[in-house]
Amino acid sequence: MSAAAPTARGHGDIRTADRTPRRFPAGSGRYALLAVALFLCVRALGLAALAVRAASTGKSPRVLLSERWDSLWYARVAEHGYAFTLNAPDGRSLSSTAFFPLLPWLERSVHAVSGLSLPAAGLLVSALASVLAAWGIFLVVRHAHGDRAGVVCVVLWAAVPVGIVQSMAYSEALFTALAAWGLLCVLREKWVSAGVLASLAGLTRPVGLAVTAALFLAVWLHHRSGTGTAAPARTRAVLGCLIAPAGAAAYILWVGVRRGHLLGYLDVQSEWGNGFDGGWAFARFLTGGSAALAVIALAALLLLAYWPHHIGARQLQPPPLIAYSALVTVLAVGASGYFGSKPRLLLPAFPLLIPLAVVLTRRRPALTRTVLAALTLGSAVYGAYWLTGSGPP
């Protein structure tokens, strides 16, 4: 039996060698609290740096966090529904239906209950969602690699250069929370719960498809292994798979009805300058428009995207996590929209950080703390200058 288990895992079983009771001692709850506490410390430092930088430039941190770029659009949807359209100077008609509805629905609900302004409600939703995201990330990584790796991965996620977005009235924090908890349900084979969370993720961002794909893959692997042959288990798996794409599908179909044809949402995205070209436009942007250099840049981008997933597979990272982060990465890098937004579009792809988290847990604690402290400081400074400059449109 002991010889057969690694073979099954090596062929894609979603259960890993680390899923034993010894990996989850009674002190695991303290590790979860530590992960969330460290996350809050990293974010507090980032906000403090932003406040200092904003004061020196005469800008308002509150406005930067909740009343510019996408956050302004979400507030408009919360206030006016999808009746708002902006006529751009170049003649394009920019429709608010480009923004998925779950975040503005939550903003409107918090506004109605608390009396907060819509921008403030958006900040509160994102703050709570970011904490839930940190907690969910810890649990997902702990599932595969233990408590210490979970804590380190949460700090890495908080300290990415564009981590300030986690504190903005944007949808990234909400989406990452839904994705992390959805993936946790996938790994624990809670198919219906995973389907519900995937559906809610699909109501938050189009990339919710990645959570649905992870669920489909996990169900397929589970069925192939022969461990889910009982009728109730099959029923729950099928139900979860039916629920998962429903959120995104319902919204896209609703937009299609408003636009007068089934693929109307693609027209909305096209008017915003968004599409999918496999990363070709991004590669040309990076190389100044040269086609020959763009081919090299595109190959380099593919290699960079492949490397963390390859390392994750070698570390026996569960296949659904690899599938999720790979799809998020492909959709972010391969989109032809505004290139400055790509770093924040990669923010939900937290499994990309797991290989580094595992490596750091195997190093001396002093070295790990030094690396994390340096990344935290760099993220705070970068986020403050970035948000008071070009920012994340």
Side-chain angles (χ1 to χ4, degrees):
M1 183 178 295
S2 60
T7 303
R9 286 188 293 267
H11 283 80
D13 192 349
I14 62 173
R15 293 167 290 183
T16 70
D18 292 321
R19 283 186 62 184
T20 65
R22 289 179 293 115
R23 302 293 293 181
F24 307 103
S28 289
R30 292 195 295 271
Y31 279 100
L33 290 175
L34 175 63
V36 172
L38 290 174
F39 170 80
L40 291 173
C41 289
V42 174
R43 293 278 24 93
L45 180 61
L47 292 173
L50 174 63
V52 172
R53 173 62 181 169
S56 68
T57 58
K59 297 180 179 180
S60 166
R62 178 185 57 80
V63 171
L64 292 171
L65 292 170
S66 65
E67 296 183 40
R68 292 189 67 188
W69 306 297
D70 287 10
S71 58
L72 189 57
W73 281 91
Y74 283 119
R76 286 168 176 164
V77 173
E79 184 176 6
H80 303 292
Y82 284 103
F84 185 82
T85 299
L86 177 67
N87 296 316
D90 58 6
R92 290 179 299 150
S93 179
L94 305 180
S95 172
S96 55
T97 53
F99 297 87
F100 275 48
L102 186 56
L103 177 57
W105 285 349
L106 292 174
E107 288 181 352
R108 186 186 306 163
S109 299
V110 171
H111 164 71
V113 171
S114 67
L116 292 171
S117 67
L118 287 171
L123 286 179
L124 179 59
V125 170
S126 288
L128 296 175
S130 67
V131 172
L132 289 174
W135 186 13
I137 290 170
F138 167 79
L139 293 174
V140 168
V141 179
R142 184 188 73 169
H143 181 98
H145 297 290
D147 291 314
R148 289 186 62 205
V151 173
V152 172
C153 193
V154 168
V155 177
L156 288 174
W157 184 70
V160 295
V162 295
I164 190 68
V165 175
Q166 299 159 7
S167 300
M168 297 179 66
Y170 268 45
S171 62
E172 274 74 17
L174 176 62
F175 177 81
T176 305
L178 293 168
W181 285 91
L183 290 169
L184 181 66
C185 290
V186 166
L187 296 179
R188 292 179 174 176
E189 300 169 6
K190 305 294 185 182
W191 307 126
V192 176
S193 297
V196 171
L197 289 164
S199 186
L200 291 173
L203 279 171
T204 306
R205 298 188 65 83
V207 75
L209 170 66
V211 188
T212 298
L215 172 59
F216 286 0
L217 175 61
V219 168
W220 178 75
L221 291 172
H222 190 68
H223 174 75
R224 193 183 68 165
S225 70
T227 57
T229 56
R234 288 200 305 268
T235 300
R236 288 192 295 270
V238 170
L239 183 58
C241 289
L242 290 175
I243 294 172
Y251 180 70
I252 290 172
L253 288 174
W254 179 79
V255 174
V257 170
R258 283 173 59 100
R259 303 284 294 196
H261 64 99
L262 185 62
L263 300 179
Y265 181 76
L266 296 181
D267 292 342
V268 173
Q269 288 293 314
S270 178
E271 290 163 358
W272 277 86
N274 296 325
F276 185 83
D277 61 4
W280 179 247
F282 186 35
R284 289 178 66 88
F285 168 78
L286 292 175
T287 57
S290 168
L293 291 177
V295 171
I296 299 174
L298 185 57
L301 288 171
L302 292 174
L303 181 61
L304 288 172
Y306 165 78
W307 179 78
H309 297 100
H310 172 69
I311 299 299
R314 294 189 63 180
Q315 292 176 345
L316 292 182
Q317 197 174 124
L321 296 187
I322 297 175
Y324 164 79
S325 61
L327 194 49
V328 172
T329 302
V330 168
L331 293 176
V333 175
S336 58
Y338 180 72
F339 307 115
S341 65
K342 292 189 183 297
R344 72 172 177 85
L345 296 180
L346 285 169
L347 195 59
F350 66 88
L352 293 174
L353 301 170
I354 296 178
L356 178 58
V358 172
V359 169
L360 288 174
T361 58
R362 296 171 181 170
R363 299 295 183 264
R364 291 182 300 173
L367 176 61
T368 300
R369 288 193 291 266
T370 300
V371 170
L372 295 179
L375 291 174
T376 297
L377 181 60
S379 173
V381 173
Y382 179 84
Y385 278 84
W386 183 51
L387 206 56
T388 54
S390 61

